Amino acid sequence: GNQRSYQYWDPAWGVSFGGSATFFREGFGGDRHLNEYYGFLEGSKDIVQDWIVWTRVTWERLSTHDGVLEDELLKLKEGVRGAERLEGTERGSVSLELRFPIWRDILFQPFEFVGFGEWLVVKDIRGFVFGDAGYAGTSFKQAKDDDYGVASTGAGLRFDFALMLWPLINGRVPFR
């Protein structure tokens, strides 16, 4: 990723990627044989100052010889906003967001009347519109099937709070 930004939580541009593979084995103290694979690619780019396009692609898979337990199934609602019912041993998702400012530098201090004005400051209100798509099933081949794939769109608000408990904490916290 890139550290140059307009706001700490919204870099002006950047790319990040990663992945993991986890192997559980009876010989290593586990109660069964299970493999978990995960990967992601994320990117953001500013169009103009504080108008940011953000995207994320994820993929995850479970494999085992014994069958996956009910509570181990990958749930699509963790990758696609609004998806409730889909789950499986493989999950993939794509998200695309446009983030934009609504009201900058509000500087509202809700605790000022009791003498703690700088402990919590509402700094900015930002909006976002998004589109998500994903699937959950046994393989990527099922992604186009309505029984395994889903898409959603929506919009939301994000409040950027600045917290200060000097000298311990001085940071920003976005809340969606």
Side-chain angles (χ1 to χ4, degrees), residues 126-145:
R126 300 176 180 282
F128 61 95
V129 292
F130 69 86
D132 291 345
Y135 73 96
T138 57
S139 74
F140 180 72
K141 293 175 186 173
Q142 297 174 320
K144 293 181 182 178
D145 188 338

Side-chain angles (χ1 to χ4, degrees), residues 28-102:
F28 293 124
D31 58 353
R32 51 198 240 115
H33 180 97
L34 177 68
N35 301 329
E36 296 179 354
Y37 306 98
Y38 174 76
F40 76 92
L41 173 64
E42 185 175 292
S44 64
K45 174 69 176 123
D46 62 330
I47 302 169
V48 294
Q49 183 173 353
D50 249 358
W51 286 72
I52 297 167
V53 174
W54 174 87
T55 188
R56 181 177 177 94
V57 177
T58 63
W59 174 82
E60 192 168 3
R61 180 170 184 75
L62 300 175
S63 69
T64 180
H65 300 301
D66 307 327
V68 177
L69 301 174
E70 180 72 27
D71 62 340
E72 292 175 332
L73 287 173
L74 302 170
K75 293 165 182 39
L76 190 57
K77 69 181 178 180
E78 295 166 8
V80 175
R81 291 167 268 205
E84 293 294 328
R85 58 179 170 74
L86 299 178
E87 57 189 22
T89 56
E90 184 172 299
R91 169 179 65 196
S93 65
V94 175
S95 294
L96 180 65
E97 284 187 9
L98 173 63
R99 300 173 178 176
F100 52 91
I102 293 175

Side-chain angles (χ1 to χ4, degrees), residues 93-115:
S93 65
V94 175
S95 294
L96 180 65
E97 284 187 9
L98 173 63
R99 300 173 178 176
F100 52 91
I102 293 175
W103 194 0
R104 295 184 197 163
D105 297 325
I106 298 169
L107 301 179
F108 172 63
Q109 300 173 343
F111 299 128
E112 188 172 23
F113 72 97
V114 291

